Amino acid sequence: MNISYQYLRPEKAKALRKWVTDPVEIRDEPAVLALENAVIYPLRRGFGLLFGKGGVLDEQGNYVPESGIPGRVEGTYPLENVEYRDEKVVYCGYLVNHWGHFLIEGVTRLWYFLENDPTVDKYVYFVDENEEREIKGNFRRFLELLGIWDKLEILSRPVRYRQVLIPELGIHMRSAYTPKLLKVFDTVAKNITVNPDWKADEKIYFSRSRLKKAGFFECGGDLLDDFFARNGYTLLYPETLPLDEMIFRIRGAKIVASLSGSLPHNMLFAKNGQTLEIVERLVLNIDNQVDVNRIRDLNVTYIDAHYPIYPVDFTGPIVMGYTPELTRFASDRGYQPPDGKYLTDKYKKQCFVHYMNAYSDLYRYNWFEEDWYAPFAASLYEGFRAGHAFFGEYLDGKRPFRWHHYLEFHYWKQLVKKLLIRNSN
């Protein structure tokens, strides 16, 4: 794995370097816990966890920690009407309905399927309690390509089984992993059906600009689309691609560029040693991506391409732009800048107004903060200073950015001050 930090802001690069260099254990033979008369039970949301409570109880009714994922899914709640089945099953965990999390947390135990244990009756996922979900699209296609689809059971109610096998997580975030997990993604990639009309592109860029949710809370995606398109990257929109084609595009590219977040998690389908360029849209690095980069031995360049204003969660709002870091990246590669219309004051103001409207919608006038922000205070301050350097005239009240500002005394006072200074000179 080779990581280039030169296009990140210094404090952010320092935090990422620590993650990358922390010791990680490689477990060639991950553990498998076998339990008799254990209960697999569905997810109940909340409790301060990313997803909620769910997992496995042993025969005595005790929660089995090995069935959880710290901070994501763990813990129990009172169960009723537990059905019994005389079967030996493999516990697969929570079938999260989010593609990026599915690749990290949903696939993490499926390495055991490739052990070809003939004594297993079923492989069991759970969903939300009492949920009726149709597994379709790329989720189903992944499971079909792996060959596990016809052996799956999806639970939304608690069930006790004669025996439950709990495979160890394929990835323990930034601390351990098993190479056996890569066999899962390689098997899926090997089994895709290739359309003869598909052609491999030398450079591809994964964009979020057609993602409906991103349109509400992000601005500047069209600038980045324009930048990468005019520099020879084929624009791809992962949410529109069937899985077979997405894997074909990734494996056929010399360079894969992608906005940060869960999009680069798709590099789990890549060949070892491929080149990845991550266009950062957040103040904080994405910890799971460090694991993806490591286990695929990727050559990765990170590029800060956003202007932070206020603390926000991973939803945003977010303003992407032609930052000094992206400008240096372009210069070093001999790339063209984006179209001039994206570098105007008019476009800058549009992005700022978009951001402020989205921030008000999400947080009203609250200052967003979470405990996990605290260790990254230096990165946050650094990012906000960069945002202020770009948007300071609006943030400091020197320029109005909404029509009703022209009715406010503050801006009239600023105008009078400017006129007096001009006349005195």
Side-chain angles (χ1 to χ4, degrees), residues 133-391:
R133 187 201 307 174
E134 179 184 2
I135 312 304
K136 56 186 179 180
N138 285 351
F139 295 91
R140 174 165 178 164
R141 184 59 177 158
F142 181 102
L143 298 166
E144 289 175 340
L145 290 170
L146 183 60
I148 199 175
W149 175 255
D150 292 332
K151 300 178 182 179
L152 283 179
E153 180 168 18
I154 313 297
L155 294 183
S156 61
R157 295 173 178 81
V159 176
R160 185 183 302 276
Y161 293 96
R162 170 170 45 84
Q163 187 176 53
V164 175
L165 302 182
I166 304 178
E168 183 179 353
L169 300 174
I171 298 176
H172 297 265
M173 189 187 302
R174 303 196 326 274
S175 62
Y177 73 93
T178 176
K180 289 188 175 186
L181 182 62
L182 283 185
K183 291 177 62 178
V184 174
F185 292 94
D186 288 337
T187 299
V188 170
K190 181 183 69 175
N191 290 335
I192 65 171
T193 300
V194 177
N195 186 320
D197 293 333
W198 294 342
K199 293 186 298 183
D201 299 291
E202 182 178 351
K203 298 187 290 187
I204 61 176
Y205 170 65
F206 284 147
S207 170
R208 285 170 55 92
S209 62
R210 292 188 183 176
L211 192 62
K212 186 176 181 181
K213 181 180 178 181
F216 291 116
F217 303 119
E218 299 178 13
C219 188
D222 49 354
L223 177 155
L224 294 177
D225 284 0
D226 179 82
F227 170 77
F228 282 99
R230 67 175 51 233
N231 289 296
Y233 293 72
T234 299
L235 302 186
L236 297 176
Y237 310 94
E239 71 277 5
T240 70
L241 290 176
L243 182 59
D244 299 58
E245 183 177 1
M246 181 167 63
I247 294 172
F248 174 85
R249 300 291 186 191
I250 290 172
R251 291 205 157 199
K254 182 178 179 181
I255 298 175
V256 178
S258 172
L259 274 174
S260 66
S262 61
L263 284 184
H265 295 353
N266 287 298
M267 291 300 284
L268 285 164
F269 296 110
K271 299 174 183 176
N272 288 346
Q274 279 190 252
T275 296
L276 172 64
E277 296 167 346
I278 299 180
V279 184
E280 290 285 292
R281 62 189 183 91
L282 301 165
V283 174
L284 305 181
N285 300 297
I286 302 297
D287 44 11
N288 281 325
Q289 188 60 39
V290 174
D291 294 309
V292 175
N293 298 341
R294 178 180 289 112
I295 66 177
R296 272 298 178 200
D297 193 27
L298 301 176
N299 297 306
V300 188
T301 298
Y302 283 84
I303 310 153
D304 266 324
H306 69 295
Y307 288 110
I309 300 176
Y310 299 123
V312 297
D313 66 10
F314 293 107
T315 300
I318 296 161
V319 175
M320 278 81 75
Y322 197 54
T323 60
E325 293 77 19
L326 183 56
T327 302
R328 285 193 286 108
F329 170 81
S331 176
D332 290 348
R333 296 293 194 277
Y335 286 174
Q336 302 176 51
D339 189 287
K341 69 181 180 181
Y342 296 113
L343 307 177
T344 62
D345 283 344
K346 179 181 178 181
Y347 184 77
K348 174 181 176 179
K349 179 179 177 180
Q350 286 175 347
C351 283
F352 187 79
V353 172
H354 186 111
Y355 180 101
M356 297 302 286
N357 286 337
Y359 189 90
S360 176
D361 181 60
L362 284 168
Y363 309 105
R364 302 311 298 162
Y365 300 107
N366 289 317
W367 193 73
F368 176 82
E369 181 59 279
E370 291 285 354
D371 291 342
W372 43 262
Y373 257 101
F376 305 99
S379 298
L380 292 166
Y381 289 134
E382 172 186 69
F384 301 143
R385 282 193 294 268
H388 185 270
F390 193 66
F391 289 119

